[in-house]
Amino acid sequence: MSSLEDKVLSILKNGKYVSGASIAKSLGVSRSLVHKAIESLRRKGFIIIAHTRLGYRLVEEDDIALAQTYVRGLGTRIRYSIHYLRKCTSTQDVADNLAKQGCDEGTVVICEEMSEGRGRLGRSWTAPRGGLWFTVVLRPPPLQNLQLLSLATGLAVAKSINELYGLNAKLKWPNDVLINEKKVCGVLIEAKAEADIIKYVLVGIGINVNNELPNELRGTATTLGSITGKVIPRLPLLLTVLKNLDLIYSLIRESKTEAVIKEWIRNSSTIGRYVRAEVVSGEVVEGLAVTVDRYGRLVIKTKGGNVAINAGDVYHLK
Ligand code: BTN
């Protein structure tokens, strides 16, 4: 970080709005340099909201109930609208009801704790207080590839974690986010289709942040809090994930499939590894994970040739 960025950041650390002019004055630089420093800080993942009259404000709160105040300032193409709940069964259920009633794309249901959180492949998902549990309703245009959206969501989370905390989060196919090979985030994509036309998609994201993990998960899962040794404010993380999801979703809408896959592979810990895939049909495929194809399928090189798998669980062997 440049020393100007450092200085701007320390001024913004007071948590209040500060005008560009007064930052410029106190640092003895031009407003355009301040603006450039702010832009650069934003690219590094800091959430800095701009208000036309009041100036800039750094968002550091843990309080996700405030999210609605900040989503507009993200300047995303998706118009996010936040439904905050203290408790619910599953954010997927709540979002499903809202979607059935015709809510707009970008509706986000976020909850402090879920009593019946759902995971992939019919599993349950433990969601106590302290984590980040939310579902985004998307209404993608026809013919969009859902598998790609699933990969893209994991990618948006991994990039956000790396941008914000300088960590090295990686992706395990299809969309688990791992840090040091332990799962820090899971993604559940559920779609409602009628006559083969997708009506809406529920993008469920669960990130272990400051929550406790049950004993049985401690060997395979981790939390951002335990990795960084700090209590992580969840609001900037939520906003960064929403921002990155918006960017990647735009690529998908523009059919820039290759760009998404390339970026996914770059951030993957699966490609180049020996894996065992337990496919939904019950079949087991073992071999070298060589790539992800344009449909988002994992291509495994086996003794009998290449096999592309669509859905299932993957275990890294070496
Ligand atoms: C998995 O890895 O099995 C997917 C886990 C998905 C968990 C999230 S938390 C928010 C949303 N609501 C749910 O009930 N599940 C997803």
Side-chain angles (χ1 to χ4, degrees), residues 37-290:
I38 299 267
E39 284 303 307
S40 168
L41 286 166
R42 281 180 174 148
R43 281 195 297 277
K44 291 186 173 123
F46 291 96
I47 302 290
I48 299 169
I49 302 294
H51 185 284
T52 33
R53 210 164 27 82
L54 303 173
Y56 300 107
R57 184 183 183 292
L58 176 70
V59 181
E60 286 195 299
E61 290 99 336
D62 180 54
D63 194 351
I64 48 175
L66 299 175
Q68 183 58 43
T69 324
Y70 297 108
V71 281
R72 284 278 150 78
L74 292 176
T76 49
R77 247 175 74 168
I78 301 174
R79 284 174 63 89
Y80 289 116
S81 137
I82 309 282
H83 285 245
Y84 168 81
L85 299 166
R86 284 185 189 284
K87 265 189 177 179
C88 69
T89 50
S90 157
T91 52
Q92 299 288 106
D93 298 340
V94 180
D96 192 36
N97 276 329
L98 292 172
K100 275 188 197 132
Q101 289 161 30
C103 74
D104 287 333
E105 168 161 279
T107 298
V108 179
V109 178
I110 184 156
C111 189
E112 297 285 356
E113 57 185 311
M114 300 190 294
S115 54
E116 290 164 42
R118 297 210 299 270
R120 285 175 63 237
L121 308 171
R123 299 190 185 109
S124 63
W125 179 264
T126 314
R129 296 182 76 77
L132 202 48
W133 326 119
F134 62 105
T135 299
V136 183
V137 179
L138 294 179
R139 297 186 182 274
L143 297 177
Q144 288 296 332
N145 174 345
L146 281 191
Q147 180 72 344
L148 199 60
L149 182 59
S150 153
L151 298 185
T153 305
L155 178 58
V157 175
K159 283 177 76 102
S160 303
I161 290 175
N162 295 342
E163 271 174 37
L164 280 177
Y165 315 115
L167 293 169
N168 190 23
K170 292 276 181 193
L171 292 153
K172 178 164 83 91
W173 189 91
N175 52 26
D176 284 354
V177 181
L178 310 180
I179 298 178
N180 301 330
E181 290 298 307
K182 287 189 172 182
K183 180 162 169 171
V184 75
C185 165
V187 172
L188 173 66
I189 305 277
E190 295 177 311
K192 168 86 176 168
E194 268 169 34
D196 279 355
I197 307 245
I198 293 173
K199 289 268 176 203
Y200 57 84
V201 181
L202 305 174
V203 179
I205 301 177
I207 311 178
N208 293 319
V209 187
N210 305 312
N211 52 298
E212 288 283 318
L213 289 174
N215 281 340
E216 66 273 18
L217 291 184
R218 291 204 173 151
T220 53
T222 188
T223 66
L224 290 173
S226 63
I227 290 165
T228 57
K230 291 184 190 141
V231 175
I232 302 278
R234 291 169 303 160
L235 187 53
L237 177 59
L238 170 68
L239 297 175
T240 307
V241 172
L242 292 177
K243 186 192 73 183
N244 281 327
L245 183 64
D246 178 71
L247 289 174
I248 293 178
Y249 186 53
S250 291
L251 291 179
I252 293 182
R253 288 182 65 114
E254 290 157 17
S255 301
K256 294 190 174 146
T257 310
E258 253 181 52
V260 177
I261 303 266
K262 220 171 143 185
E263 188 69 357
W264 190 92
I265 291 174
R266 229 172 47 80
N267 285 275
S268 147
S269 82
T270 299
I271 304 306
R273 302 275 287 270
Y274 280 89
V275 298
R276 188 175 79 248
E278 294 176 2
V279 186
V280 177
S281 61
E283 196 192 343
V284 174
V285 180
E286 256 189 48
L288 180 66
V290 280

